[in-house]
Amino acid sequence: MIAKVFDGIYRIPVNLPRNPLRVLNSYFIRGRGDERNLLIDTGFNMDECRSDLRDGLRELNADVSKTDLYLTHMHSDHSGLAADFGAAGAHILMGKTDYSLQQNYRHDKTWRECFPEYVGLGASDEEMEAIMASTPAWKYISPPFRAELLQDGDSLFYGGYQFTCISTPGHTPGHLCLYNAANRLMFLGDHVLFDITPNITCWPGVEDSLGDYLESLRKIAAYDVRIPLPGHRTTRGMSMAARVEQLLAHHEKRLEETHSILVRRPQQTCYETASQMSWKIRAKSWADFPPAQKMFALGEAKSHLDYLVHKGKARCVPGPGGHWLYSAV
């Protein structure tokens, strides 16, 4: 159901079929007079998402040809329909770093080319093929599109509001929140979610994505946010400040758990470490994890291992078969 969240600003729920995230919160800002509208995030490149978004915009009596698109980050549940809007004449606005990554994910490349950071984590090639074949991040991406590239501090003007782009790397290397200071309103994408924890994974060329995320959380805590607008689900009535503190505490506990696993048994692959970490998922064992969820778990484990290595609390050495082995320091 479409909901008004502020004057001229609406939430359009876009269902994400067969996905544990369930729904994407797409936001629509109605332009004033001859101004263009702005849509924030789209859903997957799949017919169900396309239909939900089309119906929502029709209900709002929005002219798609006069609507621009802002993408908080590159993940396909947020950017999957970007090419549709580009073809309809939208100006697509996106962070420079994530745009470059998103355009590199092509089905004519192997998973090793698209996800080199997953090579050497300890899974067999056969299992990685199955994992990648079911991963929504790759399965439902948008075809190539052109975008106007944004960076931290850039300003946008839509619906009578001034918005500032806030660089929040971590969940993705180029994640951008969007802040309206006058009304203390922030579009959060997946940087801060309130009843699920954003997945923090490893990225090519990023030494410590978890460290980046924790720094971005502390950065965002300095902003006065009265109306937080997350990319999925609701705030459950929780304040932004309280949720940021929860997320920081969650990762501190997670790091302690990861370190203790390495203390108990040194020289482990990321795959072996992930299999011993606690996960809130409906699976009897690590072997029963759905393939797509196993990819998220591997990336999450790797980001915590990278953080420990970066902080001098763990070491990583090459092992047999091209796999990396981790031990506590």
Side-chain angles (χ1 to χ4, degrees):
M1 180 181 296
I2 291 177
K4 182 178 179 179
V5 297
F6 205 71
D7 186 28
I9 302 177
Y10 302 86
R11 170 188 173 269
I12 303 173
V14 179
N15 288 296
L16 304 173
R18 302 169 295 281
N19 188 282
L21 289 171
R22 303 176 195 164
V23 174
L24 169 83
N25 296 329
S26 180
Y27 295 98
F28 176 78
I29 302 170
R30 191 183 301 282
R32 294 183 177 180
D34 293 331
E35 285 183 347
R36 293 180 66 81
N37 309 312
L38 183 68
L39 184 74
I40 299 174
D41 293 340
T42 71
F44 287 128
N45 180 18
M46 58 194 308
D47 287 341
E48 295 93 331
C49 296
R50 190 173 282 108
S51 176
D52 282 352
L53 200 51
R54 181 182 60 240
D55 291 348
L57 291 170
R58 183 183 296 123
E59 185 176 334
L60 289 168
N61 197 28
D63 186 340
V64 175
S65 69
K66 296 181 180 179
T67 300
D68 292 339
L69 176 64
Y70 179 91
L71 301 175
T72 58
H73 62 292
M74 58 157 289
H75 281 149
S76 53
D77 57 321
H78 292 254
S79 67
L81 297 174
D84 287 22
F85 282 86
H91 300 114
I92 301 176
L93 310 166
M94 186 179 188
K96 179 180 179 180
T97 301
D98 269 20
Y99 178 75
S100 176
L101 282 168
Q102 199 275 347
Q103 297 302 293
N104 183 57
Y105 288 173
R106 300 268 65 87
H107 288 304
D108 58 354
K109 294 184 176 182
T110 68
W111 71 266
R112 286 177 174 270
E113 292 175 289
C114 289
F115 302 92
E117 65 278 13
Y118 280 80
V119 178
L121 297 193
S124 68
D125 280 358
E126 293 76 17
E127 186 168 13
M128 286 304 298
E129 290 286 353
I131 287 172
M132 292 304 174
S134 65
T135 298
W138 202 16
K139 195 173 182 180
Y140 300 121
I141 58 174
S142 170
F145 58 89
R146 294 192 177 190
E148 179 181 331
L149 304 183
L150 302 170
Q151 59 187 356
D152 188 47
D154 282 349
S155 292
L156 302 176
F157 298 86
Y158 286 91
Y161 299 104
Q162 177 179 353
F163 297 100
T164 303
C165 298
I166 309 296
S167 176
T168 49
H171 180 66
T172 62
H175 192 289
L176 287 176
C177 295
L178 199 58
Y179 182 55
N180 173 247
N183 299 290
R184 295 181 291 167
L185 178 152
M186 186 178 287
F187 297 98
L188 293 164
D190 283 358
H191 181 52
V192 177
L193 301 174
F194 288 79
D195 63 349
I196 50 177
T197 304
N199 177 251
I200 309 303
T201 188
C202 49
W203 294 95
V206 178
E207 186 178 70
D208 180 16
S209 59
L210 178 58
D212 291 345
Y213 180 67
L214 298 178
E215 184 178 337
S216 294
L217 280 178
R218 297 184 185 102
K219 172 183 177 178
I220 217 76
Y223 287 83
D224 183 8
V225 179
R226 180 172 62 92
I227 305 175
L229 298 170
H232 300 281
R233 306 190 189 179
T234 70
T235 64
R236 300 186 300 161
M238 187 181 299
S239 73
M240 177 88 151
R243 183 55 177 159
V244 167
E245 286 302 315
Q246 278 190 351
L247 289 169
L248 289 169
H250 165 81
H251 284 290
E252 186 62 35
K253 184 177 180 181
R254 204 79 164 127
L255 286 163
E256 291 173 2
E257 178 189 38
T258 308
H259 189 262
S260 69
I261 290 169
L262 299 182
V263 168
R264 287 197 303 270
R265 184 164 70 84
Q267 299 285 290
Q268 295 199 59
T269 65
C270 177
Y271 187 90
E272 291 168 331
T273 304
S275 72
Q276 300 166 70
M277 293 172 70
S278 334
W279 305 100
K280 288 186 178 179
I281 185 172
R282 293 178 181 176
K284 294 179 181 179
S285 67
W286 175 247
D288 293 328
F289 266 50
Q293 297 307 307
K294 189 168 278 190
M295 178 185 181
F296 294 132
L298 282 170
E300 185 94 11
K302 178 69 159 55
S303 73
H304 285 72
L305 290 167
D306 286 346
Y307 181 93
L308 292 173
V309 170
H310 186 68
K311 294 297 183 182
K313 296 181 179 181
R315 64 177 176 270
C316 177
V317 298
H323 296 158
W324 294 98
L325 302 177
Y326 295 86
S327 301
V329 171

